[in-house]
Amino acid sequence: MTEHTEIFIDKAAIAEKVGELAGQISRDYEGKDLVLACILKGAAVFTADLMRGITIPVTVEFLQAASYGASTTSSRNIVIKKDLDCDIAGKHVLLVDTIIDTGETMAFLLKRFAERRPSSLRAAALLDKRARRSVYVPLAYIGFDIPDTFVVGYGMDCGERYRNLPSIAELKTTE
Ligand code: IMP
Ligand code: MG
């Protein structure tokens, strides 16, 4: 079996969309203390670009989730592997991920972080693979709706590889 990548969303289209999202976020959170909560590792690249497009004061924090069990069923067990370093009580928190697939990771994190009494808690994702959703997740900001296909690059991996691709690519395997 061999693998190859085919560009799905190029650098220019990503940059344009990230700029639009950063503009909307800057307008929506004007006058508020915004905390971007980047979900490692996949959202590192998206968050780095998004924060540089935001024109209001913003802080950035990092967390990492891990999931065990079959990725295709709702029997997955999700845990916080690396927690935020700050107390989010009274803060306006925007959770940032690159892609929402089943939605289980983001739904879990929204539920957990809501218990910490932030002033507001919302989610942003560059890509929404809506056809795969198994649980409802409210997404305040979405870049692109994409079909059910496996993508890599722009921070996203397959077995930890391809995160460094500057574009978003479809990963194809051939016999
Ligand atoms: P969910 O909990 O099923 O929504 O999974 C979300 C996580 O799965 C994302 O943060 C990614 O790490 C990973 N993921 C989902 N779809 C893809 C994909 O197409 N390529 C790479 N990673 C993906
Ligand atoms: Mg991954």
Side-chain angles (χ1 to χ4, degrees):
M1 281 228 298
T2 55
E3 263 177 17
H4 73 278
T5 56
E6 284 175 18
I7 291 186
F8 186 61
I9 306 175
D10 68 18
K11 279 166 66 172
I14 296 169
E16 188 184 343
K17 187 64 78 176
V18 174
E20 279 171 28
L21 293 173
Q24 280 176 32
I25 291 166
S26 302
R27 286 190 293 278
D28 294 352
Y29 288 89
E30 178 86 62
K32 293 175 175 161
D33 276 331
L34 173 62
V35 181
L36 288 183
C38 169
I39 304 172
L40 295 170
K41 302 176 187 172
V45 175
F46 176 39
T47 304
D49 283 346
L50 188 67
M51 66 192 282
R52 283 178 290 176
I54 292 176
T55 54
I56 58 168
V58 64
T59 57
V60 63
E61 298 291 337
F62 299 89
L63 69 132
Q64 189 166 16
S67 71
Y68 305 98
S71 61
T72 49
T73 69
S74 52
S75 62
R76 267 163 77 193
N77 182 26
I78 300 166
V79 295
I80 294 174
K81 185 173 164 187
K82 182 219 176 299
D83 206 342
L84 294 170
D85 291 326
C86 70
D87 180 7
I88 58 170
K91 305 260 179 68
H92 293 277
V93 179
L94 184 59
L95 274 163
V96 180
D97 207 346
T98 308
I99 187 163
I100 307 293
D101 185 35
T102 65
E104 285 170 29
T105 307
M106 189 59 92
F108 169 84
L109 293 172
L110 284 169
K111 192 163 159 245
R112 279 302 185 81
F113 289 167
E115 292 161 2
R116 301 178 187 181
R117 303 276 170 250
S119 287
S120 71
L121 178 64
R122 304 210 283 174
L126 183 61
L127 306 177
D128 186 359
K129 218 193 270 185
R130 202 167 292 191
R132 296 254 313 153
R133 202 61 39 83
S134 63
V135 58
Y136 171 72
V137 192
L139 294 175
Y141 304 96
I142 297 169
F144 301 95
D145 282 311
I146 64 161
D148 182 6
T149 183
F150 198 82
V151 290
V152 293
Y154 200 67
M156 293 174 290
D157 74 311
C158 180
E160 296 300 326
R161 292 170 61 219
Y162 302 110
R163 293 192 196 276
N164 58 312
L165 296 182
S167 301
I168 294 167
E170 270 186 290
L171 190 63
K172 308 268 191 184
T173 48
T174 46
E175 291 297 326

